Coordinates of all heavy atoms in Angstrom, one line a residue:
M171 N -15.7 14.9 -7.1 CA -14.4 14.8 -7.7 C -13.3 14.9 -6.7 O -12.4 14.1 -6.7 CB -14.3 16.0 -8.7 CG -12.9 16.1 -9.3 SD -12.9 14.7 -10.5 CE -11.3 15.1 -11.2
K172 N -13.5 15.6 -5.6 CA -12.5 15.7 -4.5 C -12.4 14.3 -3.8 O -11.3 13.9 -3.4 CB -12.9 16.8 -3.5 CG -12.7 18.2 -4.1 CD -12.9 19.2 -3.0 CE -12.8 20.6 -3.6 NZ -13.1 21.6 -2.5
R173 N -13.5 13.7 -3.6 CA -13.5 12.4 -2.8 C -12.8 11.4 -3.6 O -12.1 10.4 -3.1 CB -14.9 12.0 -2.3 CG -15.8 11.6 -3.5 CD -17.1 11.2 -3.1 NE -17.9 10.8 -4.2 CZ -19.1 11.2 -4.3 NH1 -19.8 11.9 -3.5 NH2 -19.7 10.8 -5.5
K174 N -12.8 11.4 -5.0 CA -12.2 10.4 -5.8 C -10.7 10.6 -5.8 O -9.9 9.7 -5.7 CB -12.7 10.5 -7.2 CG -14.1 9.9 -7.4 CD -14.5 9.9 -8.8 CE -16.0 9.4 -8.9 NZ -16.4 9.4 -10.3
V175 N -10.3 11.9 -5.8 CA -8.8 12.2 -5.7 C -8.3 11.8 -4.4 O -7.2 11.2 -4.3 CB -8.6 13.7 -6.0 CG1 -7.1 14.1 -5.8 CG2 -9.0 14.0 -7.5
L176 N -9.0 12.2 -3.3 CA -8.6 11.7 -2.0 C -8.5 10.2 -1.9 O -7.5 9.7 -1.2 CB -9.5 12.3 -0.9 CG -9.3 11.9 0.5 CD1 -8.0 12.5 0.9 CD2 -10.4 12.4 1.4
S177 N -9.4 9.5 -2.4 CA -9.5 8.1 -2.4 C -8.2 7.6 -3.1 O -7.5 6.6 -2.6 CB -10.8 7.5 -2.9 OG -10.8 6.2 -2.9
L178 N -7.9 8.1 -4.2 CA -6.8 7.7 -5.0 C -5.5 7.9 -4.3 O -4.6 7.1 -4.2 CB -6.8 8.3 -6.4 CG -5.6 7.9 -7.3 CD1 -5.7 6.5 -7.7 CD2 -5.7 8.8 -8.5
V179 N -5.3 9.1 -3.7 CA -4.1 9.4 -2.9 C -4.0 8.5 -1.7 O -2.8 8.0 -1.5 CB -4.2 10.9 -2.5 CG1 -3.1 11.2 -1.5 CG2 -4.1 11.9 -3.7
L180 N -5.0 8.3 -1.0 CA -4.9 7.4 0.1 C -4.6 5.9 -0.3 O -3.8 5.3 0.3 CB -6.3 7.3 0.9 CG -6.5 8.5 1.8 CD1 -8.0 8.4 2.4 CD2 -5.6 8.4 3.0
F181 N -5.1 5.5 -1.4 CA -4.9 4.2 -1.9 C -3.4 4.1 -2.3 O -2.7 3.1 -1.8 CB -5.6 3.9 -3.3 CG -5.3 2.7 -3.9 CD1 -5.9 1.5 -3.6 CD2 -4.4 2.6 -5.0 CE1 -5.6 0.3 -4.1 CE2 -4.1 1.4 -5.5 CZ -4.7 0.2 -5.2
L182 N -2.8 5.1 -3.0 CA -1.4 5.0 -3.3 C -0.5 5.0 -2.1 O 0.5 4.2 -2.0 CB -1.0 6.2 -4.3 CG -1.6 6.0 -5.7 CD1 -1.3 7.3 -6.5 CD2 -1.1 4.8 -6.4
I183 N -0.8 5.9 -1.2 CA 0.0 6.0 0.1 C 0.0 4.7 0.8 O 1.1 4.2 1.3 CB -0.4 7.2 0.9 CG1 -0.1 8.5 0.2 CG2 0.2 7.2 2.3 CD1 -0.6 9.7 0.9
V184 N -1.2 4.2 1.1 CA -1.4 2.9 1.8 C -0.7 1.7 1.1 O 0.0 0.9 1.8 CB -2.8 2.6 2.2 CG1 -3.0 1.3 2.8 CG2 -3.3 3.7 3.1
F185 N -0.9 1.7 -0.2 CA -0.3 0.5 -0.9 C 1.3 0.5 -0.8 O 1.9 -0.5 -0.5 CB -0.7 0.6 -2.5 CG -0.1 -0.5 -3.3 CD1 -0.7 -1.7 -3.2 CD2 1.1 -0.3 -4.0 CE1 -0.2 -2.8 -4.0 CE2 1.6 -1.4 -4.7 CZ 0.9 -2.6 -4.7
V186 N 1.9 1.7 -1.2 CA 3.3 1.8 -1.0 C 3.9 1.6 0.4 O 4.8 0.8 0.7 CB 3.9 3.2 -1.6 CG1 5.3 3.4 -1.3 CG2 3.5 3.3 -3.0
S187 N 3.1 2.2 1.4 CA 3.6 2.0 2.8 C 3.5 0.5 3.2 O 4.3 0.0 3.9 CB 2.7 2.8 3.7 OG 2.8 4.3 3.3
A188 N 2.3 -0.1 2.9 CA 2.1 -1.4 3.3 C 3.1 -2.4 2.6 O 3.7 -3.3 3.3 CB 0.8 -1.9 3.0
Y189 N 3.4 -2.1 1.4 CA 4.4 -2.9 0.7 C 5.8 -2.8 1.3 O 6.5 -3.9 1.5 CB 4.5 -2.5 -0.8 CG 5.1 -3.6 -1.7 CD1 4.3 -4.5 -2.3 CD2 6.5 -3.6 -1.9 CE1 5.0 -5.5 -3.2 CE2 7.1 -4.5 -2.6 CZ 6.3 -5.5 -3.3 OH 6.9 -6.5 -4.1
L190 N 6.2 -1.6 1.7 CA 7.5 -1.4 2.2 C 7.6 -2.0 3.7 O 8.6 -2.5 4.1 CB 7.9 0.0 2.3 CG 8.2 0.6 0.9 CD1 8.5 2.1 0.9 CD2 9.4 -0.1 0.2
V191 N 6.5 -1.9 4.4 CA 6.4 -2.5 5.7 C 6.6 -4.0 5.7 O 7.3 -4.6 6.4 CB 5.2 -2.0 6.5 CG1 4.9 -2.9 7.8 CG2 5.3 -0.6 6.9
I192 N 5.9 -4.6 4.7 CA 6.0 -6.0 4.6 C 7.4 -6.4 4.2 O 7.9 -7.4 4.6 CB 5.0 -6.5 3.5 CG1 3.6 -6.3 4.0 CG2 5.2 -8.0 3.1 CD1 2.5 -6.6 2.9
C193 N 8.0 -5.6 3.3 CA 9.4 -5.9 2.9 C 10.5 -5.9 4.0 O 11.3 -6.7 4.0 CB 9.8 -4.9 1.8 SG 9.1 -5.2 0.2
F194 N 10.3 -4.8 4.9 CA 11.4 -4.7 5.8 C 11.0 -4.8 7.3 O 12.0 -5.0 8.1 CB 11.9 -3.2 5.7 CG 12.4 -3.0 4.3 CD1 11.9 -2.2 3.3 CD2 13.7 -3.6 3.9 CE1 12.3 -2.0 2.1 CE2 14.2 -3.4 2.7 CZ 13.6 -2.6 1.8
A195 N 9.8 -4.8 7.7 CA 9.5 -4.9 9.1 C 9.0 -6.3 9.5 O 9.2 -6.7 10.7 CB 8.3 -4.0 9.4
I196 N 8.5 -7.2 8.6 CA 8.1 -8.5 8.9 C 9.3 -9.4 8.7 O 9.8 -9.6 7.7 CB 6.8 -8.9 8.1 CG1 5.7 -8.0 8.3 CG2 6.5 -10.4 8.4 CD1 4.5 -8.2 7.5
P197 N 9.7 -10.0 9.9 CA 10.9 -10.9 9.8 C 10.8 -12.1 8.8 O 11.8 -12.4 8.2 CB 11.0 -11.4 11.2 CG 10.3 -10.5 12.1 CD 9.1 -10.0 11.2
G198 N 9.7 -12.7 8.6 CA 9.5 -13.8 7.6 C 9.6 -13.3 6.2 O 9.9 -14.1 5.4
M199 N 9.4 -12.1 5.9 CA 9.5 -11.6 4.5 C 10.8 -11.0 4.2 O 11.1 -10.6 3.1 CB 8.4 -10.5 4.3 CG 7.0 -11.1 4.4 SD 6.7 -12.2 3.0 CE 5.0 -12.5 3.2
R200 N 11.7 -10.7 5.2 CA 13.0 -10.1 4.9 C 13.9 -11.1 4.3 O 13.8 -12.3 4.5 CB 13.6 -9.6 6.2 CG 12.8 -8.4 6.8 CD 13.4 -8.0 8.1 NE 14.7 -7.3 7.7 CZ 15.5 -6.8 8.6 NH1 15.3 -6.9 9.9 NH2 16.6 -6.2 8.1
I201 N 14.8 -10.5 3.4 CA 15.8 -11.4 2.8 C 17.1 -11.3 3.4 O 17.4 -10.3 4.2 CB 15.9 -11.1 1.3 CG1 16.4 -9.7 1.1 CG2 14.6 -11.3 0.6 CD1 16.8 -9.3 -0.3
K202 N 17.9 -12.5 3.5 CA 19.2 -12.5 4.0 C 20.2 -12.3 2.9 O 20.5 -13.3 2.2 CB 19.3 -13.7 4.8 CG 18.5 -13.7 6.1 CD 18.4 -15.1 6.6 CE 17.5 -15.2 7.8 NZ 16.1 -14.9 7.6
L203 N 20.6 -11.1 2.7 CA 21.5 -10.8 1.5 C 22.5 -9.8 2.0 O 22.2 -8.7 2.5 CB 20.7 -10.3 0.3 CG 21.5 -9.9 -0.9 CD1 22.1 -11.1 -1.6 CD2 20.5 -9.2 -1.9
E204 N 23.7 -10.1 1.8 CA 24.8 -9.1 2.1 C 25.2 -8.5 0.8 O 25.9 -9.1 0.0 CB 26.0 -9.8 2.7 CG 25.7 -10.3 4.2 CD 26.9 -10.8 4.8 OE1 28.1 -10.4 4.6 OE2 26.8 -11.6 5.7
A205 N 24.7 -7.3 0.6 CA 25.0 -6.6 -0.7 C 24.8 -5.0 -0.4 O 24.6 -4.6 0.7 CB 23.9 -6.9 -1.7
E206 N 25.1 -4.3 -1.4 CA 25.0 -2.8 -1.2 C 23.6 -2.4 -1.0 O 22.7 -3.2 -1.4 CB 25.5 -2.2 -2.5 CG 27.0 -2.4 -2.8 CD 27.4 -1.7 -4.1 OE1 26.8 -0.6 -4.5 OE2 28.5 -2.1 -4.6
P207 N 23.4 -1.3 -0.4 CA 22.0 -0.9 0.0 C 21.1 -0.9 -1.2 O 19.9 -1.3 -1.1 CB 22.2 0.4 0.6 CG 23.6 0.5 1.2 CD 24.3 -0.5 0.2
V208 N 21.4 -0.4 -2.3 CA 20.6 -0.3 -3.5 C 20.2 -1.7 -4.0 O 19.0 -1.9 -4.3 CB 21.3 0.5 -4.6 CG1 20.4 0.4 -5.9 CG2 21.5 1.9 -4.2
V209 N 21.2 -2.6 -4.0 CA 20.9 -4.0 -4.5 C 20.0 -4.7 -3.5 O 19.0 -5.4 -3.9 CB 22.2 -4.8 -4.6 CG1 21.9 -6.2 -4.9 CG2 23.1 -4.1 -5.7
Y210 N 20.2 -4.5 -2.1 CA 19.3 -5.1 -1.1 C 17.9 -4.6 -1.2 O 16.9 -5.3 -1.1 CB 19.9 -4.8 0.2 CG 19.1 -5.4 1.4 CD1 19.3 -6.7 1.7 CD2 18.2 -4.6 2.0 CE1 18.6 -7.3 2.7 CE2 17.4 -5.2 3.1 CZ 17.7 -6.6 3.5 OH 16.9 -7.1 4.4
F211 N 17.8 -3.2 -1.5 CA 16.5 -2.6 -1.6 C 15.7 -3.2 -2.8 O 14.6 -3.6 -2.7 CB 16.6 -1.1 -1.8 CG 15.3 -0.4 -1.9 CD1 14.4 -0.2 -0.8 CD2 14.9 0.1 -3.1 CE1 13.2 0.4 -0.9 CE2 13.6 0.8 -3.3 CZ 12.8 0.9 -2.2
L212 N 16.4 -3.3 -3.9 CA 15.7 -3.8 -5.1 C 15.3 -5.3 -5.0 O 14.3 -5.7 -5.4 CB 16.6 -3.6 -6.4 CG 16.8 -2.1 -6.7 CD1 17.8 -2.0 -7.9 CD2 15.5 -1.4 -7.1
E213 N 16.2 -6.1 -4.4 CA 15.9 -7.4 -4.3 C 14.8 -7.7 -3.2 O 14.0 -8.7 -3.3 CB 17.1 -8.3 -3.9 CG 18.2 -8.4 -5.0 CD 17.6 -9.1 -6.2 OE1 16.9 -10.1 -6.1 OE2 17.9 -8.6 -7.3
S214 N 14.8 -6.8 -2.1 CA 13.7 -6.9 -1.2 C 12.3 -6.6 -1.8 O 11.3 -7.3 -1.5 CB 13.8 -5.9 0.0 OG 15.0 -6.3 0.7
I215 N 12.3 -5.8 -2.8 CA 11.0 -5.4 -3.5 C 10.6 -6.6 -4.4 O 9.4 -6.9 -4.4 CB 11.2 -4.1 -4.3 CG1 11.3 -2.9 -3.2 CG2 10.1 -3.9 -5.3 CD1 11.6 -1.6 -3.9
R216 N 11.6 -7.2 -5.1 CA 11.2 -8.4 -5.9 C 10.9 -9.6 -5.2 O 10.2 -10.4 -5.8 CB 12.5 -8.6 -6.9 CG 12.7 -7.5 -7.9 CD 13.8 -7.9 -8.9 NE 14.3 -6.7 -9.4 CZ 15.6 -6.5 -9.7 NH1 16.5 -7.3 -9.3 NH2 16.0 -5.4 -10.3
H217 N 11.5 -9.8 -4.0 CA 11.3 -11.2 -3.4 C 9.8 -11.2 -2.9 O 9.3 -10.4 -2.3 CB 12.1 -11.1 -2.1 CG 12.0 -12.4 -1.3 ND1 12.4 -13.5 -1.6 CD2 11.4 -12.5 0.0 CE1 12.1 -14.5 -0.6 NE2 11.5 -13.8 0.3
M218 N 9.2 -12.3 -3.3 CA 7.7 -12.6 -3.0 C 6.9 -11.5 -3.4 O 5.9 -11.2 -2.7 CB 7.6 -13.1 -1.5 CG 8.4 -14.3 -1.2 SD 8.3 -14.7 0.5 CE 6.7 -15.2 0.7
A219 N 7.0 -11.0 -4.6 CA 6.3 -9.8 -5.0 C 4.7 -10.0 -5.0 O 4.0 -9.1 -4.8 CB 6.8 -9.3 -6.3
L220 N 4.3 -11.2 -5.5 CA 2.9 -11.4 -5.7 C 2.1 -11.5 -4.3 O 1.0 -10.9 -4.2 CB 2.6 -12.7 -6.4 CG 3.1 -12.8 -7.9 CD1 2.9 -14.2 -8.4 CD2 2.2 -11.8 -8.7
I221 N 2.7 -12.1 -3.4 CA 2.1 -12.1 -2.0 C 2.1 -10.7 -1.4 O 1.1 -10.3 -0.9 CB 2.8 -13.1 -1.1 CG1 2.7 -14.5 -1.6 CG2 2.3 -13.0 0.3 CD1 3.5 -15.6 -0.9
K222 N 3.2 -10.0 -1.5 CA 3.3 -8.6 -0.9 C 2.2 -7.7 -1.7 O 1.7 -6.8 -1.1 CB 4.7 -8.1 -1.0 CG 5.6 -8.8 -0.2 CD 7.1 -8.3 -0.4 CE 8.1 -9.1 0.3 NZ 9.5 -8.7 0.1
T223 N 2.2 -7.9 -3.0 CA 1.2 -7.1 -3.7 C -0.2 -7.3 -3.3 O -1.0 -6.4 -3.2 CB 1.4 -7.3 -5.2 OG1 2.8 -6.9 -5.6 CG2 0.5 -6.4 -6.1
A224 N -0.6 -8.5 -3.1 CA -2.0 -9.0 -2.8 C -2.3 -8.4 -1.4 O -3.4 -7.8 -1.3 CB -2.1 -10.4 -2.9
V225 N -1.4 -8.5 -0.5 CA -1.7 -8.0 0.9 C -1.8 -6.5 0.8 O -2.8 -5.9 1.5 CB -0.6 -8.5 1.9 CG1 -0.8 -7.8 3.2 CG2 -0.7 -10.0 2.0
S226 N -0.8 -5.9 0.2 CA -0.9 -4.4 0.1 C -2.1 -3.9 -0.6 O -2.7 -2.9 -0.3 CB 0.3 -3.9 -0.6 OG 1.5 -4.3 0.1
L227 N -2.5 -4.5 -1.7 CA -3.7 -4.2 -2.5 C -4.9 -4.3 -1.6 O -5.8 -3.4 -1.6 CB -3.9 -5.1 -3.7 CG -5.0 -4.8 -4.7 CD1 -4.8 -3.4 -5.3 CD2 -5.0 -5.8 -5.8
A228 N -5.1 -5.4 -0.8 CA -6.2 -5.5 0.0 C -6.3 -4.4 1.1 O -7.4 -3.8 1.3 CB -6.2 -6.8 0.7
A229 N -5.2 -4.1 1.6 CA -5.2 -2.9 2.7 C -5.5 -1.6 2.0 O -6.3 -0.8 2.5 CB -3.8 -2.9 3.4
A230 N -4.9 -1.3 0.9 CA -5.2 -0.1 0.1 C -6.6 0.0 -0.3 O -7.2 1.1 -0.3 CB -4.2 0.0 -1.0
L231 N -7.2 -1.0 -0.8 CA -8.6 -1.0 -1.2 C -9.5 -0.6 0.0 O -10.5 0.2 -0.2 CB -9.0 -2.3 -1.9 CG -8.5 -2.5 -3.3 CD1 -8.9 -3.9 -3.8 CD2 -9.1 -1.5 -4.3
I232 N -9.3 -1.2 1.1 CA -10.1 -0.9 2.3 C -9.9 0.5 2.7 O -11.0 1.2 2.9 CB -9.7 -1.9 3.4 CG1 -10.1 -3.3 3.1 CG2 -10.4 -1.4 4.7 CD1 -9.6 -4.4 4.0
I233 N -8.7 1.0 2.8 CA -8.6 2.4 3.2 C -9.0 3.4 2.1 O -9.6 4.4 2.5 CB -7.1 2.6 3.6 CG1 -6.6 1.7 4.7 CG2 -6.8 4.1 4.0 CD1 -7.4 1.9 6.0
G234 N -8.8 3.0 0.9 CA -9.1 4.0 -0.2 C -10.6 4.1 -0.4 O -11.1 5.1 -0.9
A235 N -11.3 3.1 0.1 CA -12.8 3.1 0.0 C -13.5 4.0 1.0 O -14.7 4.4 0.9 CB -13.4 1.7 0.0
I236 N -12.9 4.2 2.2 CA -13.4 4.9 3.3 C -13.9 6.4 2.8 O -15.1 6.7 3.3 CB -12.4 5.0 4.5 CG1 -12.2 3.6 5.1 CG2 -12.8 6.0 5.5 CD1 -11.2 3.5 6.1
P237 N -13.2 7.2 2.2 CA -13.7 8.5 1.8 C -15.0 8.4 0.9 O -15.8 9.2 1.1 CB -12.6 9.2 1.0 CG -11.3 8.4 1.5 CD -11.7 7.1 1.8
L238 N -14.9 7.4 0.1 CA -16.1 7.2 -0.8 C -17.4 6.9 0.0 O -18.5 7.4 -0.3 CB -15.9 6.2 -1.8 CG -14.7 6.5 -2.8 CD1 -14.5 5.4 -3.8 CD2 -15.1 7.8 -3.7
L239 N -17.2 6.1 1.0 CA -18.3 5.6 1.8 C -18.9 6.8 2.7 O -20.1 7.0 2.9 CB -17.9 4.5 2.7 CG -17.6 3.1 2.0 CD1 -17.0 2.1 3.0 CD2 -18.8 2.7 1.2
F240 N -18.0 7.6 3.3 CA -18.4 8.7 4.2 C -19.0 9.8 3.4 O -19.9 10.5 3.9 CB -17.2 9.1 5.1 CG -17.0 8.2 6.2 CD1 -15.7 7.6 6.4 CD2 -18.0 7.9 7.1 CE1 -15.5 6.7 7.4 CE2 -17.7 7.0 8.2 CZ -16.4 6.5 8.3
C241 N -18.6 10.1 2.2 CA -19.0 11.2 1.4 C -20.4 10.9 1.0 O -21.2 11.7 0.7 CB -18.1 11.5 0.2 SG -16.6 12.3 0.8
K242 N -20.7 9.6 0.6 CA -22.0 9.2 0.2 C -23.0 9.4 1.3 O -24.2 9.7 1.0 CB -22.0 7.8 -0.3 CG -21.4 7.7 -1.7 CD -21.5 6.3 -2.2 CE -20.8 6.2 -3.5 NZ -20.9 4.8 -4.1
K243 N -22.7 9.1 2.5 CA -23.6 9.3 3.6 C -23.9 10.7 3.8 O -25.0 11.1 4.1 CB -23.0 8.7 4.9 CG -22.9 7.2 4.9 CD -22.4 6.7 6.2 CE -22.3 5.2 6.3 NZ -21.9 4.6 7.5
K244 N -22.9 11.7 3.7 CA -23.2 13.0 3.9 C -24.2 13.5 2.8 O -25.0 14.4 3.1 CB -21.9 13.8 3.9 CG -21.1 13.6 5.1 CD -19.8 14.5 5.1 CE -19.0 14.3 6.2 NZ -17.7 15.0 6.2
E245 N -24.0 13.1 1.5 CA -24.8 13.5 0.4 C -26.2 13.1 0.6 O -27.2 13.9 0.3 CB -24.3 13.0 -0.9 CG -23.0 13.7 -1.3 CD -22.4 13.1 -2.6 OE1 -23.1 12.2 -3.1 OE2 -21.4 13.6 -3.1
T246 N -26.5 11.9 1.2 CA -27.8 11.5 1.4 C -28.5 12.1 2.5 O -29.7 12.1 2.6 CB -27.8 9.9 1.6 OG1 -27.0 9.6 2.7 CG2 -27.4 9.2 0.4
E247 N -27.8 12.7 3.5 CA -28.4 13.4 4.6 C -28.9 14.7 4.1 O -29.8 15.3 4.8 CB -27.4 13.5 5.7 CG -27.0 12.2 6.4 CD -25.9 12.3 7.4 OE1 -25.5 13.6 7.6 OE2 -25.6 11.4 8.1
R248 N -28.4 15.3 3.1 CA -28.8 16.7 2.7 C -30.1 16.7 2.1 O -30.9 16.2 1.7 CB -27.8 17.2 1.7 CG -26.6 17.5 2.4 CD -25.6 18.1 1.3 NE -24.3 18.2 1.9 CZ -23.2 18.7 1.3 NH1 -23.3 19.2 0.1 NH2 -22.1 18.8 1.9

């Protein structure tokens, strides 16, 4: 049970972090918009959402699966 919760928490953290990094740190994905900060943030999240979601999902699935893989190895050693 603990490894599933840990995996879920890691998945959520990595997904959100990767999405925000793609939105604001990669120059090709940033938008050029002069607006208030809230409007800029919301539009950055909406811009190219499918691509950003796919990349973030792939990264989150890889990182989220790590606790499940390591916990299974420990159980089989016992």
Side-chain angles (χ1 to χ4, degrees):
M171 182 67 178
K172 288 183 183 180
R173 65 179 182 226
K174 289 182 182 180
V175 172
L176 176 62
S177 180
L178 180 64
V179 169
L180 281 174
F181 176 84
L182 291 174
I183 290 171
V184 170
F185 182 82
V186 171
S187 300
Y189 197 92
L190 290 176
V191 165
I192 293 169
C193 285
F194 298 109
I196 298 178
M199 296 288 188
R200 294 181 68 183
I201 61 172
K202 292 165 181 64
L203 176 68
E204 291 187 26
E206 294 182 24
V208 173
V209 174
Y210 183 80
F211 179 74
L212 293 175
E213 289 301 318
S214 293
I215 290 174
R216 288 186 201 138
H217 177 71
M218 297 178 68
L220 291 176
I221 294 171
K222 293 175 185 177
T223 301
V225 172
S226 299
L227 184 64
L231 284 174
I232 292 169
I233 301 298
I236 290 174
L238 297 175
L239 295 174
F240 283 121
C241 289
K242 286 184 179 179
K243 287 183 181 180
K244 288 181 182 178
E245 288 177 359
T246 57
E247 292 175 358
R248 290 183 189 179

